[in-house]
């Protein structure tokens, strides 16, 4: 029986808990056992701004998931997001003792561990170190140097950092909710586990996770994370535009956007009217759907332009054979895929987690807004970097082999010692006779 996995997605609009386990029929899929969610009070732009309110929301979502699954949870996988989550490129190297000895998984871990010991800017912590290419003795470049020989092992790393006080706030909230965090993962990386295929990652793909107040970007090429970025825009900004344009309440603007928001070509040809109840003793307001489409399209074009600039900045635009995958709550807007394709020039599809969910899992979880929560749960048995799984296998084989050799050596040493003692006794007896 697979171990129980619980994920906690702390978002700006909602907090979601998913309880599941690795499918016994397909090791790449998640069997969902329960789900719970609550309104996200105390979170703004992906960052916790009120510990008590956020802790209460976490507790509500957790209790709902526990009731749904009948399982009590003590440990969760949690995400981290916000503008403070940034990435930089770093170089690392180690010098090995012998050119004849093969490079091992231990050497890879040593090199990666050295990156974690780098001095970070005050108030920042490393949350992910993702190796790009390795170089052996200044000549041989490879993505996987294990088994090769050389003295000088170097590598470039994509390092993702976050503010220490934000990480501490997350752990405080979780502790107040009566649980602990097994590990913390950047939202975009967690989402990628749920919606991207291995073929897309190898070919080159850009994932766009459109949340309530921020947009997370992660770019893969040759199955390796190459670039990450955050844009301080999201679905709430579209809601605010609708609210201000038609002078209505925020909840009315959100409902108007989600129910009637449409930026496809047909939306501009249809002259439909939506009637919105007025405030006390005030007459209702009428909104033309074409005007609503214009307001939404203006903000979506701005978002798409910012995304295009980030992709060009990455230097991988020409290598995105698999194009773009959009996910998150903001990706549900009708016409979003067409608009992104028109502005970026890339093929675009909607990213949902159905590929990695076992049959029978709740249909609602296949909505893009749950991609991060599903990805965090999948992280319990699915690796972000294909090399990680390979290294775990190699490391396990190495330790099994080492233990076997140790047993054999110990047995051999005992036999050899007996022979020496017998020889000494024989020589002593022979000496006494003479």
């Amino acid at each position: 029986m697979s171990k129980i996995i619980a994920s906690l997605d702390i978002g700006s609009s909602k907090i979601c808990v998913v309880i599941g386990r690795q499918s016994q029929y397909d090791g790449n899929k998640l069997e969902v056992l329960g789900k719970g969610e609550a309104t996200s009070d105390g979170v703004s732009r992906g960052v916790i701004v009120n510990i008590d309110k956020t802790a209460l929301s976490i507790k509500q979502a957790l209790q709902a998931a526990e009731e749904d699954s009948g399982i009590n949870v003590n440990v969760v996988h949690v995400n981290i997001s916000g503008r403070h989550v940034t990435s930089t490129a770093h170089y690392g190297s180690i010098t090995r003792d012998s050119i004849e000895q093969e490079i091992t998984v231990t050497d890879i871990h040593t090199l990666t561990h050295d990156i974690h010991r780098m001095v970070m800017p005050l108030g920042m912590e490393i949350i992910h170190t993702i190796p790009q290419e390795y170089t052996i003795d200044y000549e041989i470049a490879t993505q996987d140097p294990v088994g090769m020989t050389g003295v000088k092992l170097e590598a470039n790393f994509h390092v993702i950092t976050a503010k220490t006080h934000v990480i501490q706030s997350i752990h405080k909230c979780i502790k107040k909710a009566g649980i602990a965090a097994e590990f913390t993962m950047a939202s975009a990386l967690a989402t990628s586990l749920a919606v991207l295929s291995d073929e897309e990652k190898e070919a080159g793909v850009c994932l766009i996770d459109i949340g309530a107040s921020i947009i997370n970007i992660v770019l893969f090429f040759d199955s390796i994370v190459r670039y990450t970025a955050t844009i301080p825009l999201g679905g709430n900004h579209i809601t605010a535009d609708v609210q201000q344009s038609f002078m209505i309440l925020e909840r009315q603007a959100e409902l108007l956007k989600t129910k009637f928001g449409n930026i496809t070509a047909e939306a501009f040809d249809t002259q439909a009217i939506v009637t919105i109840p007025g405030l006390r003793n005030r007459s209702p307001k009428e909104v033309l759907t074409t005007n609503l489409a214009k307001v939404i399209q203006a903000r979506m074009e701005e978002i798409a332009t910012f995304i295009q600039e980030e992709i060009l900045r990455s230097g991988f635009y020409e290598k995105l054979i698999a194009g773009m995958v959009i996910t998150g709550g903001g990706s549900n807007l009708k016409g979003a895929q067409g608009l992104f394709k028109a502005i970026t020039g890339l093929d675009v599809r909607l990213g949902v987690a159905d590929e990695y969910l076992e049959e029978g899992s709740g249909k609602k979880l296949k909505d893009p807004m749950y991609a991060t929560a599903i990805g965090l749960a999948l992280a319990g048995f699915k690796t972000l970097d294909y090399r990680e799984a390979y290294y775990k296998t190699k490391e396990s084989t190495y330790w099994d082999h080492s233990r076997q050799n140790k047993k054999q050596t110990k047995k051999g040493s005992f036999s050899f010692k007996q022979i020496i003692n017998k020889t000494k006794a024989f020589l002593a007896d022979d000496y006494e006779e003479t």
Side-chain angles (χ1 to χ4, degrees), residues 200-271:
E200 286 175 321
K201 292 177 184 178
E202 183 179 1
V205 66
C206 181
L207 174 66
I208 309 296
D209 185 0
I210 307 172
S213 57
I214 58 172
I215 296 171
N216 292 309
I217 300 173
V218 58
L219 194 150
F220 285 83
F221 178 68
D222 274 350
S223 303
I224 297 173
V225 174
R226 303 292 185 173
Y227 187 79
T228 53
T230 300
I231 297 174
L233 291 172
N236 287 349
H237 294 82
I238 300 174
T239 301
D241 290 344
V242 173
Q243 180 186 4
Q244 293 173 12
S245 297
F246 303 113
M247 300 294 288
I248 55 179
L249 297 175
E250 183 180 355
R251 57 180 175 78
Q252 293 174 329
E254 179 65 23
L255 186 61
L256 190 62
K257 178 191 73 174
T258 55
K259 194 170 183 179
F260 299 99
N262 188 343
I263 53 175
T264 59
E266 63 181 23
F268 294 92
D269 297 330
T270 305
Q271 290 287 341

Side-chain angles (χ1 to χ4, degrees), residues 170-432:
I170 291 173
H171 287 277
K172 283 180 183 178
C173 289
I174 292 174
K175 187 176 181 180
K176 275 180 171 285
I179 51 177
E182 185 172 350
F183 63 77
T184 304
M185 192 174 196
S187 291
L189 300 187
T191 305
S192 71
L193 289 174
V195 302
L196 298 181
S197 68
D198 293 338
E199 291 78 12
E200 286 175 321
K201 292 177 184 178
E202 183 179 1
V205 66
C206 181
L207 174 66
I208 309 296
D209 185 0
I210 307 172
S213 57
I214 58 172
I215 296 171
N216 292 309
I217 300 173
V218 58
L219 194 150
F220 285 83
F221 178 68
D222 274 350
S223 303
I224 297 173
V225 174
R226 303 292 185 173
Y227 187 79
T228 53
T230 300
I231 297 174
L233 291 172
N236 287 349
H237 294 82
I238 300 174
T239 301
D241 290 344
V242 173
Q243 180 186 4
Q244 293 173 12
S245 297
F246 303 113
M247 300 294 288
I248 55 179
L249 297 175
E250 183 180 355
R251 57 180 175 78
Q252 293 174 329
E254 179 65 23
L255 186 61
L256 190 62
K257 178 191 73 174
T258 55
K259 194 170 183 179
F260 299 99
N262 188 343
I263 53 175
T264 59
E266 63 181 23
F268 294 92
D269 297 330
T270 305
Q271 290 287 341
I273 296 176
V274 179
T275 302
I276 299 173
L279 296 176
R280 185 177 181 181
N281 297 326
R282 291 175 177 82
S283 59
K285 291 188 176 182
E286 294 184 342
V287 176
L288 281 172
T289 54
T290 50
N291 290 338
L292 176 63
K294 289 175 183 177
V295 171
I296 294 174
Q297 184 183 52
R299 179 64 80 171
M300 287 296 287
E301 286 179 347
E302 180 190 26
I303 289 172
T305 301
F306 278 122
I307 290 171
Q308 171 76 341
E309 290 174 356
E310 286 292 348
I311 296 173
L312 292 173
R313 190 176 292 115
S314 74
F316 283 88
Y317 178 83
E318 301 295 336
K319 296 181 180 180
L320 299 180
I321 296 174
M324 179 188 297
V325 176
I326 60 173
T327 190
S331 66
N332 281 320
L333 188 66
K334 292 179 182 177
Q337 294 177 62
L339 184 143
F340 278 94
K341 183 176 182 179
I343 291 180
T344 65
L346 298 170
D347 290 333
V348 182
R349 77 166 177 87
L350 185 65
V352 293
D354 56 345
E355 182 179 350
Y356 299 108
L357 286 177
E358 189 181 70
E359 289 296 327
S361 293
K363 185 178 179 181
K364 190 178 179 182
L365 281 173
K366 296 179 182 180
D367 189 296
M369 71 171 64
Y370 297 110
T372 301
I374 295 297
L376 286 168
L378 285 166
F381 56 86
K382 192 167 180 263
T383 57
L384 180 69
D385 190 325
Y386 72 95
R387 293 169 293 189
E388 292 178 24
Y390 169 66
Y391 289 158
K392 284 180 181 179
T393 303
K394 291 280 288 186
E395 197 170 35
S396 176
T397 304
Y398 169 78
W399 285 114
D400 288 343
H401 183 67
S402 295
R403 281 194 289 265
Q404 185 71 16
N405 285 345
K406 191 173 182 181
K407 288 179 181 179
Q408 291 175 356
T409 302
K410 188 175 181 181
K411 185 177 180 182
S413 298
F414 178 75
S415 299
F416 183 70
K417 186 176 181 180
Q418 284 182 324
I419 293 171
I420 292 296
N421 289 337
K422 286 183 178 181
T423 303
K424 284 181 179 179
F426 172 78
L427 290 174
D429 291 342
D430 189 50
Y431 177 76
E432 288 173 357

Side-chain angles (χ1 to χ4, degrees), residues 88-92 111-112 115 129-132 134 155-159:
T88 54
H90 287 279
Y91 159 86
L111 181 54
T112 304
I115 295 296
T129 54
I130 305 167
Q132 304 295 286
Y134 295 90
N156 292 314
F157 288 86
H158 182 77
V159 178

